[in-house]
Amino acid sequence: MKFTANISRFEESKVFWTSIIIIPDAVYKEMIKISPDKRIICTINNSITFHCAMIPKKPFHYIMLSKDKIKTLKLNVNDIISVEIVADTSEFGMEICEELQEVLASDDEGNLWFQKLTPGKKRSLLYMLSKTKNSQLKIKKSFVFIEHLKRNKGEFDPIIYQEEYKNFRDKNSI
């Protein structure tokens, strides 16, 4: 579904710091029929495409835009943009990097624990890995993550994981 929208922002607060696209109510009502989990793929100005969600905030629904996307597209608040959204039919609600796929394929126990994570925790991990540009680093982060899950019986603690990754990096001079 295509529509035009203005780049908006929430009032400055500790919770809402990002730019947003408000989804017209008629578009949301049609999309929720196609994508009841609210996961979509959004394309802005026919130039940047990303996985995201239709997020509720009474009385409307919106799409979050990161500072990176705003910068890449050279957008400002109130700029008018063209938006196209389609249902996200991917397994995880975003792309899984090849490096994590390989680590999961080589570790049955780790894969089992990964599959038991909530969809949101899976997406958080995938997002974190997508921010890493270096393929070798993605492999190492994936390996440390899977070991973290196995050690903690499927429980993911981002603070402990970061410490474990830091220790791994320091020990292995990454």
Side-chain angles (χ1 to χ4, degrees), residues 29-121:
K29 287 177 180 173
E30 285 302 310
M31 282 307 297
I32 200 68
K33 293 176 190 172
I34 302 165
S35 184
D37 66 354
K38 300 180 183 177
R39 301 298 307 169
I40 58 174
I41 298 174
C42 179
T43 302
I44 299 175
N45 291 343
N46 297 315
S47 65
I48 187 169
T49 299
F50 55 97
H51 296 260
C52 59
M54 298 184 293
I55 304 168
K57 170 110 172 90
K58 289 189 180 187
F60 56 87
H61 289 81
Y62 66 95
I63 298 166
M64 282 196 317
L65 290 175
S66 67
K67 289 178 184 178
D68 289 342
K69 287 181 183 68
I70 292 291
K71 185 177 177 182
T72 299
L73 291 165
K74 298 179 179 147
L75 296 173
N76 296 300
V77 173
N78 295 322
D79 282 356
I80 298 173
I81 57 171
S82 66
V83 181
E84 181 176 4
I85 57 176
V86 297
D88 185 342
T89 58
S90 65
E91 182 179 2
F92 301 110
M94 66 185 309
E95 297 298 317
I96 181 170
C97 66
E98 190 177 313
E99 294 83 356
L100 178 59
Q101 285 177 323
E102 291 299 320
V103 170
L104 292 172
S106 68
D107 189 328
D108 291 339
E109 181 187 0
N111 188 30
L112 179 68
W113 288 118
F114 176 77
Q115 296 304 329
K116 289 182 178 183
L117 290 173
T118 64
K121 286 185 179 178

